[in-house]
Amino acid sequence: MIAASAVPLAEYLGTAYDPDCEYIDGQVVQRSVGEYPHSRVQGLLYAYFLRRRKPWGVTPIIEQRVQVTPTTFLVPDICVLSGPEPATKIVTEPPLIWIEVLSSEDRPVRVSRKVRQAIQFGAAYVWVIDPETLESYVTTQEGEYDLVDQTLRIPTRDIVVPLPAIDED
């Protein structure tokens, strides 16, 4: 169950939660943490991006606080930044790719809200993945589409991520 409690922003920023929590307009909100399928896909995707970070010119980060508004800090499972590592402890610039790997406790309404917030913040691609089936969809500023072949493609960056093959290399 996801619990929320009122906390001043300074207290949230000065507290290390385990696992990290999100902060939405004065409320500290626990995130759904994954079981093995979630952790496996999250780790494999991170490793896939990490191995390709130099040729793709990206920096992948796991469970990083991202400030999407002055009073909202969200924590994507993985965010892939365009360019080098961030200079700040909290990401304040929109990532190229925001990845959410679903867990059994995730609720569609909450996931949908988080996707909208990431897109409004300026994330170029928000990728939501079911770790059990590898079914996934992508949301961009232009709309939403299913990845029928389970492969994310960003043609402008020559980035191709085939979910079925992420653990083969």
Side-chain angles (χ1 to χ4, degrees), residues 2-167:
I2 298 173
S5 57
V7 171
L9 177 59
E11 183 177 330
Y12 168 76
L13 293 173
T15 302
Y17 298 93
D18 188 23
D20 202 2
C21 294
E22 297 181 324
Y23 185 84
I24 302 171
D25 299 325
Q27 301 291 311
V28 172
V29 181
Q30 292 178 347
R31 298 179 306 117
S32 297
V33 293
E35 293 113 358
Y36 178 71
H38 175 280
S39 296
R40 179 179 184 278
V41 168
Q42 181 179 356
L44 288 170
L45 273 170
Y46 173 73
Y48 193 87
F49 279 102
L50 190 64
R51 286 189 300 273
R52 292 157 179 81
R53 72 187 180 282
K54 289 181 182 176
W56 286 352
V58 298
T59 300
I61 307 172
I62 294 177
E63 298 179 2
Q64 168 68 47
R65 286 182 182 180
V66 178
Q67 184 175 11
V68 298
T69 74
T71 60
T72 301
F73 295 74
L74 301 178
V75 181
D77 288 316
I78 301 170
C79 62
V80 180
L81 306 178
S82 185
E85 294 179 0
T88 58
K89 290 183 179 183
I90 295 173
V91 171
T92 57
E93 297 294 323
L96 175 65
I97 308 168
W98 181 300
I99 301 172
E100 293 294 330
V101 180
L102 299 175
S103 71
S104 61
E105 294 182 7
D106 280 327
R107 299 293 169 252
V109 170
R110 188 161 189 281
V111 172
S112 179
R113 182 181 316 118
K114 193 170 182 178
V115 168
R116 278 193 317 274
Q117 288 173 307
I119 288 296
Q120 289 169 351
F121 174 57
Y125 295 83
V126 179
W127 190 10
V128 178
I129 303 163
D130 181 325
E132 304 267 351
T133 65
L134 298 184
E135 291 177 275
S136 61
Y137 67 90
V138 172
T139 303
T140 67
Q141 298 294 330
E142 289 75 39
E144 182 179 300
Y145 58 93
D146 291 332
L147 293 181
V148 292
D149 64 353
Q150 300 175 328
T151 301
L152 174 68
R153 292 177 180 83
I154 303 178
T156 58
R157 299 291 298 266
D158 292 327
I159 293 175
V160 178
V161 185
L163 278 177
I166 59 175
D167 64 350

